[in-house]
Amino acid sequence: MRHGTRNLAVLLALLTNAGSGAGASGEPSPAGDGGPFRVETLAEGVHLFRPAEAGAGLLNSLVVEREDGLLVVDAQPTPDAARALLAGIARRFDRPVRFLVLTHPHADAAGGASAFPPSVLVVASRGYRDSIDDASHDFGAEARAVSGEAFAEPARVAPTLASWAPFYLEDRRRRVEILPVAKLPAHSSGDLAVWIPDARVLAAGDLAWPSPNAYTGGSNVSNWLIALNGLLELQPTWVVPLRGPAADTRPVRILREGFAWIRGRVEQAFVDAVPSGRIADRVLESPQAGKFLDLETSPSWVRGMVENVVAETVEYRRKRGIE
C-alpha cells in the first residue's frame, strides 16, 4: 500500500489516464450465479453483486479480482446479508477475500462487516473510524429510514486501515484507489469512493443515488454537491451506487443538478426576505420543482433535502453576521 501523490481538495480533484475497460457498450454482462444476488460484470475482473429481488434486505457490493485475492466494496446491511454475499462470492471465485472497503459509516454499507473473516483487512476513511468510535453516532439511522423501525442495529466494526488522504492498494493485476472525502461531512461524516482506473469503474456508496431524491439525514448538502463535482471529474464509465443499478454519470448529474437548484432557490428566498420557516414550502411549491426532484416518491426525503440546505444557509449567514 502506498500513499497517492496527488492532493485532492474535497474529494476527488483527480484526473486519471485510464485504458478503456469492458462494459463500454453501456450494458453490464451477466456473470453467473450469486445466490440471492444477480452478478453483473462491469469490466474484466470487476463484478457487481446486486439483489436479485427488491425488498430482500440486500444492497449492492462490488467484487474486484486482484492477484492478491478479492476486494469487496461494502458489506451489506446485516451479518445475515453479508453471509449470503460471501456464499455467493465463494460459488463464483476460488480465491479468498483480502480487503473489505466501507464507503460510509451507516449500517447500510457496513452492518454486515462482522460476518467477514478476521483475516480480511477492513479499509475506511478516518471519518468512518471516528463515527464508529462515537457512541452517539446513529449507525442504523439510514437503514431505519429505508427499512422501518424494526431494523436492529448490528455490531460495529472498526477499520484496520483508515485515512483522510487518498491512497491506493497496489497490485500487479489491478490497482485500486481509495478516495476519502476530506474532513467535511457530505452524505455522512465518513464517505469515500473507490476508483478502479483501468476499468473506469467508480464505487460511490451513497454519494450516488439512482433517483433525484437522496436520504440526507445527518448530511451536508453543500459539501455533498462539491463531492459530486469531484466524482464527475473522474469521467467514469460505470458509477456503482449502494442501491440501484450501475449506470453512467447521468444519475450523478441529476442528483447534482437537484442539489444545485435547491441551493439557488433557497439563496433567492433569503434575498427576498422570506422567513426561514417558510422557505422549504416556497421551494417545493415552485413550478420548477418537478423538473429537478421526484415529488411523488419519498416526499419526506425531498423536504429533508430542502430543509438541510435552509439550515446550512442559516448557519452560514449566522457565522458571517448576515441578518
Side-chain angles (χ1 to χ4, degrees):
M1 293 171 285
R2 301 176 186 174
H3 285 286
T5 58
R6 283 159 287 194
N7 180 23
L8 307 190
V10 176
L11 172 65
L12 308 165
L14 177 66
L15 296 173
T16 304
N17 293 323
S20 61
S25 65
E27 292 294 336
S29 57
D33 175 43
F37 295 90
R38 180 170 64 251
V39 187
E40 299 170 352
T41 296
L42 305 181
E44 182 182 356
V46 181
H47 312 283
L48 174 58
F49 280 64
R50 285 189 62 201
E53 296 182 7
L58 308 173
L59 293 174
N60 291 342
S61 290
L62 193 70
V63 177
V64 182
E65 297 181 67
R66 292 160 46 95
E67 189 168 295
D68 59 12
L70 302 176
L71 179 144
V72 176
V73 181
D74 287 332
Q76 296 295 311
T78 66
D80 284 346
R83 283 186 279 271
L85 172 67
L86 290 167
I89 291 173
R91 283 193 290 272
R92 285 276 303 139
F93 308 104
D94 60 359
R95 62 184 63 195
V97 175
R98 295 295 191 196
F99 296 93
L100 171 63
V101 184
L102 302 173
T103 58
H104 65 289
H106 291 153
D108 297 54
S114 63
F116 280 70
S119 58
V120 172
L121 180 70
V122 180
V123 179
S125 73
R126 276 283 302 277
Y128 174 101
R129 189 189 71 181
D130 293 347
S131 295
I132 290 297
D133 288 345
D134 182 357
S136 66
H137 169 63
D138 193 347
F139 183 52
E142 188 173 50
R144 282 193 299 274
V146 175
S147 305
E149 291 296 326
F151 181 84
E153 183 172 307
R156 306 182 184 200
V157 172
T160 316
L161 175 62
S163 174
W164 283 123
F167 62 95
Y168 57 85
L169 304 174
E170 191 58 276
D171 181 78
R172 284 190 293 182
R173 179 173 179 181
R174 173 143 282 144
R175 169 177 171 165
V176 173
E177 301 192 12
I178 309 298
L179 306 173
V181 172
K183 301 178 184 181
L184 295 172
H187 168 72
S188 75
S189 56
D191 297 300
L192 63 74
V194 178
W195 175 233
I196 308 166
D198 67 328
R200 304 193 73 81
V201 174
L202 179 73
D206 269 345
L207 287 170
W209 284 71
S211 80
N213 301 353
Y215 175 70
T216 56
S219 301
N220 184 295
V221 173
S222 298
N223 295 338
W224 194 343
L225 180 59
I226 297 170
L228 293 177
N229 287 334
L231 295 180
L232 291 170
E233 286 183 3
L234 289 169
Q235 300 180 357
T237 298
W238 292 107
V239 178
V240 179
L242 186 61
R243 61 200 83 223
D248 59 19
T249 58
R250 281 174 290 183
V252 175
R253 293 179 186 279
I254 289 170
L255 184 62
R256 182 188 65 170
E257 289 167 5
F259 283 162
W261 179 80
I262 291 170
R263 276 187 55 181
R265 296 301 301 174
V266 168
E267 290 168 2
Q268 184 60 52
F270 276 98
V271 170
D272 294 342
V274 177
S276 59
R278 274 282 306 151
I279 291 177
D281 289 330
R282 172 170 167 166
V283 172
L284 294 173
E285 290 164 4
S286 167
Q288 292 184 306
K291 177 181 177 181
F292 295 95
L293 305 168
D294 180 354
L295 301 178
E296 302 299 325
T297 306
S298 57
S300 64
W301 289 13
V302 178
R303 177 168 286 276
M305 291 163 67
V306 178
E307 290 176 347
N308 273 31
V309 176
V310 173
E312 291 163 20
T313 306
V314 168
E315 181 64 11
Y316 177 88
R317 293 168 65 88
R318 182 191 67 78
K319 286 181 178 180
R320 285 154 182 78
I322 303 171
E323 294 298 332

